[in-house]
Amino acid sequence: MRISGGDARGITLRVPRGDAVRPATDGMRQAVFSSVAARVPGAIFLDLFAGSGAYGLEALSRGASRGYFVEKSNAAVQCLRQNLAAVCKSVRREERDFVIAAADVLAWALPAGSPAPDLIFVDPPYPIIQDIAPK
């Protein structure tokens, strides 16, 4: 799996071993970003159920200014940290502009005083969609 567009296009993303994380395919991300392309430069994003961070990292590659990744799997968070470092290095951006929260999405809140995100990516694991949708 790779970043599909922007300045970090082609960077390979790490994913945890096993099937605990279902990474968004390149085609899926391309479809999403073709529809929101004009909103990405300078945007603040929120990547919920981040997994490997593919959606948020794609936004970073395409010019997002800041963002938050929320993921509760420790294995996924470790991969996400490595992916964020690689993409930031590629686009010459500071990692400190992007926050990784190792937390349950339903229990996490945007830090007080933070500006509202411009883009929110929500891609939960299929088995829990029915349970979390109302929340």
Side-chain angles (χ1 to χ4, degrees):
M1 187 167 82
R2 299 176 185 276
I3 297 293
S4 63
D7 293 338
R9 183 180 187 161
I11 295 287
T12 300
L13 299 178
R14 295 178 180 267
V15 295
R17 292 179 191 254
D19 60 0
V21 174
R22 175 195 42 80
T25 65
D26 293 354
M28 177 71 75
R29 284 181 283 117
Q30 286 175 348
V32 167
F33 281 91
S34 70
S35 64
V36 299
R39 295 176 184 220
V40 176
I44 299 169
F45 67 82
L46 180 55
D47 187 350
L48 302 176
F49 304 98
S52 65
Y55 282 108
L57 295 169
E58 196 74 51
L60 166 56
S61 177
R62 295 169 187 248
S65 64
R66 293 178 40 201
Y68 299 88
F69 300 89
V70 183
E71 172 57 52
K72 72 177 184 179
S73 162
N74 289 331
V77 167
Q78 288 177 12
C79 290
L80 176 50
R81 288 187 199 288
Q82 293 174 339
N83 292 338
L84 178 60
V87 173
C88 282
K89 181 178 179 182
S90 178
V91 298
R92 295 179 181 88
R93 295 287 308 281
E94 295 291 328
E95 289 179 53
R96 68 175 177 253
D97 293 333
F98 304 91
V99 175
I100 298 172
D104 184 333
V105 166
L106 299 178
W108 182 83
L110 197 62
S114 298
D118 302 298
L119 298 168
I120 301 174
F121 305 108
V122 183
D123 190 15
Y126 293 144
I128 69 167
I129 290 174
Q130 292 292 327
D131 294 334
I132 66 160
K135 298 173 187 169

